[in-house]
Amino acid sequence: MSATINPLANPKGGKKLCELCQKPAYLQCTKCRVTYYCDVAHQQADWNSIHNKACELLILIRSPAPLHSWQTDRDHHHMQTQKRLEQLMELSHAESKRRVSEGKYEEALPAAQLSLRCAMDVYGPNAVEHVPAYLLLAEANMGFLSQAEGYLSKAQWTTMKTLGCSQVILHQLHRTLGRLYTATGRYRSALLHFANDIFHASEEFGLNSVVSAGGYFLMANVFVKEEKPDIAISLYSQVTSIWHMHLSKMVEHYSQRGTQGEQHFDEAQLAEVDQMLNVMLEAQQQGVNTHQSAMLSHSLGQSALLSHSLAMFWFLCRDHSKALDFGRKAAEFSRQCEEQNSLAESIQSLIQEVEKHITIQQIPTIQQ
């Protein structure tokens, strides 16, 4: 997997630097031979984070360009390299985002660093397209707040000097700032940034979009920390309604068009949505255990909606075992709650569809 670098093999004046820390490198990846490390620990960290998926692509990007005599050939090679850099930037960003969603911040860092380097190579220095990578690095460094604040300062400065900065970038910036202030206990500032996050997200995607719902969810988490459960539950209910409607439309589309094999969520989205829906379900179930009368009915109704949402979510992700478990939970909550009796037919229909898929999977393949 690694080999010691022979200094005599380097071109004169060409020192190899570690992929992660930019210190002098002494090891080389034996698979791609274009990536270098200062020690085994950094090589292993990079491999676990992104290099195992990026290794072959890096060969095409970092290998010396062939000598072309024609300008058209040189232009074609440059264009292909740029496309591969964009592909690598998206790949590394998605991998880092997934690990951040799973709470694996240390594993997210090498992928986030690679995403930033690719953005710099593609767009040049000081471009607004660097901001998503800065924000991802800030999130991955939440355990090291001074470093996180440094990346956020770069992101803020870049957006401030960019005229007409997109609503998407601004919503991402405020969301990450809100997370930073939440982590440092500055809840008033966090709520202000989440409010700005929701404003910019709703301008781009709509007030009742699942993107805007992410801001409501994070704002609700702050109110939980401030011990204001009524406000938090109200916001959770808004998020639940948005996601339930969104997933219901996706399942309806699936049923009508039979999008077999279509991937509805990437790995980062899968981890984020799963975590968000389960946090809200746990909060509502605590309400079931503590509330009485009208509040109990509301908590049961929300638990039914969330369990149904999770059943639809895992059905779309083709994890039929989890879909069936949550479908049965949804049916039970619905039976206990008069508010959500209207859901019963939809829940039962989903359970039957899931059971049909499970039965098909269990039929042994007939040997030809």
Side-chain angles (χ1 to χ4, degrees), residues 126-129 131 155-166:
N126 304 317
V128 72
E129 288 81 3
V131 172
Q156 282 183 291
W157 172 247
T158 304
T159 56
M160 286 173 60
K161 66 185 183 62
T162 302
L163 294 175
C165 192
S166 74

Side-chain angles (χ1 to χ4, degrees), residues 205-243:
F205 303 105
L207 189 60
N208 292 319
S209 69
V210 292
V211 179
S212 301
Y216 292 128
F217 173 72
L218 292 168
M219 186 177 279
N221 291 344
V222 174
F223 283 116
V224 169
K225 292 179 181 296
E226 289 190 322
E227 298 183 355
K228 297 177 180 177
D230 291 346
I231 301 175
I233 289 297
S234 176
L235 288 168
Y236 282 156
S237 298
Q238 175 77 358
V239 178
T240 300
S241 175
I242 291 171
W243 266 102

Side-chain angles (χ1 to χ4, degrees), residues 248-265:
S248 296
K249 288 179 180 177
M250 292 180 73
V251 170
E252 183 180 0
H253 181 266
Y254 176 93
S255 301
Q256 290 175 351
R257 303 192 51 182
T259 50
Q260 187 69 28
E262 180 180 345
Q263 184 176 353
H264 299 278
F265 303 94

Side-chain angles (χ1 to χ4, degrees), residues 36 55-56 61 83 174 244 276 296 300 303 331-332 338 361:
Y36 305 90
C55 193
E56 293 185 10
I61 294 171
K83 286 182 178 179
H174 284 290
H244 188 266
M276 177 173 57
L296 173 60
L300 284 168
S303 296
E332 180 59 30
E338 294 180 1
Q361 290 172 349

Side-chain angles (χ1 to χ4, degrees), residues 127-133 135 155-156 158-160 162 164-176 197 200-201 204-205:
V128 72
E129 288 81 3
H130 299 176
V131 172
L135 297 178
Q156 282 183 291
T158 304
T159 56
M160 286 173 60
T162 302
C165 192
S166 74
Q167 300 285 0
V168 174
I169 292 292
L170 291 171
H171 119 72
Q172 291 173 344
L173 173 63
H174 284 290
R175 183 163 297 188
T176 309
D197 158 28
H200 292 295
E204 181 69 22
F205 303 105

